[in-house]
Amino acid sequence: MAEDKQPHRSRFHKAKDDAHFAKQAVSTPQTQSPAYRLAFQDTEFLLREDLRPVRFQLELLKPELMLDEAKIESMLVIYGSARIPSPETAQAVLDAARTPEESRIAERLAAKAKYYEEARKLARIASQVPPDKNGCRNFVVCSGGGPSIMEAANRGADDEGKESVGLNIVLPHEQAPNRYVTPDLSFQFHYFALRKMHFLLRARAVCVFPGGFGTFDETFELLTLIQTGKIKPIPIVLFSEEFWTRVVNFGALVEEGVISARDLSLFHFVETAEEAWKIIQDFYGNVQDPN
């Protein structure tokens, strides 16, 4: 093979080459010791408490590089419950109830099944935004990668034959990304903080459906970042005014003086995907050419 004499090429072997060479090492007590492993291939070393800053950096960097390579310029982030049934499974939720209390809860969950369809519809609309002149995609659908509302978001993009992102988190109980997430854009996180950062690094708009602690955590952190000027305003749309005003007394926060009345303008209540998309369109003017 002719020697590569290109002046711009590194004269060092690539890390993957050295990793291959290391596998060919003669077996001796020295080469079998963990101390001899290449640091970047030594899982036990990388999992040490002292290496937490390195793991933070890796978890920030890996999705960032892969999203860049996929030419994803911006995302439509969809938050929401992992418990709301799809219309197809709503009856099964009702049938599974065994006590009056379980029946009341099941009825309220089943009543929210319509929002599964709205999330799916919104994702279909966003997925129709064409690539820009450089081939980069905007408003790519991104969810937490799980079931329920998250599944609906990825499913809507899949309906249009378009890719979508899923940002999963490692949990003690067994779980897997929903089957509609694009496999090459399905990421798994150890750190909640890094996962939440990736939701917002490319977020061009955030649409929030009824949800629990996780949805509240993500939503109120976003509101705080905008309220405090840490990030520029983006459209924030809350589906189901009935739900949100029942579980959060926004007016009381104003009356108690802990937020200002103008903070209530940071978000909008909607019921349908079309309403949400209109708010996004009005904010950006023309999302067909969002740059």
Side-chain angles (χ1 to χ4, degrees):
M1 181 181 294
E3 183 181 355
D4 183 358
K5 295 184 178 180
Q6 294 293 327
H8 64 279
R9 298 287 180 86
S10 171
R11 311 316 297 174
F12 292 94
H13 289 296
K14 293 181 179 178
K16 65 179 181 180
D17 294 330
D18 274 344
H20 174 72
F21 299 152
K23 288 182 180 180
Q24 316 306 314
V26 176
S27 179
T28 69
Q30 290 77 22
T31 62
Q32 292 303 304
S33 171
Y36 196 73
R37 295 174 194 156
L38 288 167
F40 57 80
Q41 288 191 309
D42 190 341
T43 303
E44 291 180 14
F45 174 69
L46 290 173
L47 293 179
R48 289 171 56 160
E49 287 294 308
D50 307 306
L51 270 291
R52 181 178 287 120
V54 175
R55 294 195 298 273
F56 261 66
Q57 186 174 14
L58 290 172
E59 200 151 280
L60 175 65
L61 193 57
K62 180 182 177 181
E64 184 74 1
L65 292 175
M66 295 186 73
L67 290 169
D68 279 344
E69 290 167 359
K71 291 191 172 183
I72 294 177
E73 186 74 18
S74 70
M75 302 192 301
L76 172 69
V77 174
I78 296 179
Y79 295 146
S81 174
R83 302 186 182 190
I84 293 173
S86 66
E88 301 96 327
T89 61
Q91 188 59 48
V93 171
L94 293 170
D95 294 342
R98 293 292 178 264
T99 67
E101 182 180 2
E102 288 179 357
S103 293
R104 286 192 294 271
I105 293 173
E107 287 170 3
R108 295 196 70 85
L109 281 174
K112 295 180 181 65
K114 62 182 180 181
Y115 293 116
Y116 181 103
E117 278 304 305
E118 293 304 322
R120 184 177 177 183
K121 186 189 303 182
L122 177 62
R124 287 200 297 264
I125 295 171
S127 295
Q128 294 170 16
V129 175
D132 65 19
K133 60 185 179 181
N134 297 315
C136 295
R137 288 197 56 205
N138 285 281
F139 293 96
V140 174
V141 172
C142 174
S143 83
S148 188
I149 295 298
M150 295 173 278
E151 174 189 278
N154 298 114
R155 186 176 179 181
D158 188 69
D159 290 340
E160 295 295 319
K162 298 297 175 62
E163 60 194 2
S164 67
V165 179
L167 305 182
N168 260 141
I169 187 78
V170 176
L171 297 174
H173 54 271
E174 184 178 351
Q175 60 143 11
N178 70 68
R179 62 193 178 97
Y180 300 103
V181 179
T182 302
D184 288 343
L185 297 175
S186 182
F187 302 101
Q188 184 174 213
F189 290 84
H190 171 61
Y191 297 107
F192 266 106
L194 272 298
R195 178 180 184 242
K196 288 195 289 184
M197 181 173 287
H198 275 292
F199 273 129
L200 299 182
L201 282 174
R202 284 175 166 77
R204 190 63 68 89
V206 174
C207 296
V208 188
F209 289 80
F213 288 161
T215 301
F216 274 55
D217 177 41
E218 293 153 351
T219 303
F220 281 93
E221 179 166 307
L222 171 59
L223 289 171
T224 301
L225 289 169
I226 294 177
Q227 180 202 49
T228 56
K230 293 295 289 184
I231 65 173
K232 296 178 181 178
I234 60 174
I236 303 174
V237 180
L238 307 184
F239 278 76
S240 181
E241 183 173 4
E242 185 275 333
F243 170 82
W244 286 105
T245 55
R246 180 169 183 262
V247 298
V248 182
N249 193 333
F250 293 103
L253 292 175
V254 175
E255 292 171 1
E256 292 293 327
V258 292
I259 66 171
S260 67
R262 66 176 178 273
D263 291 330
L264 300 183
S265 66
L266 297 177
F267 55 87
H268 304 270
F269 293 117
V270 300
E271 286 296 320
T272 68
E274 290 83 2
E275 289 178 87
W277 193 245
K278 185 178 187 305
I279 288 170
I280 295 169
Q281 285 183 312
D282 289 346
F283 188 92
Y284 288 110
N286 181 10
V287 300
Q288 298 300 310
D289 185 16
N291 290 325

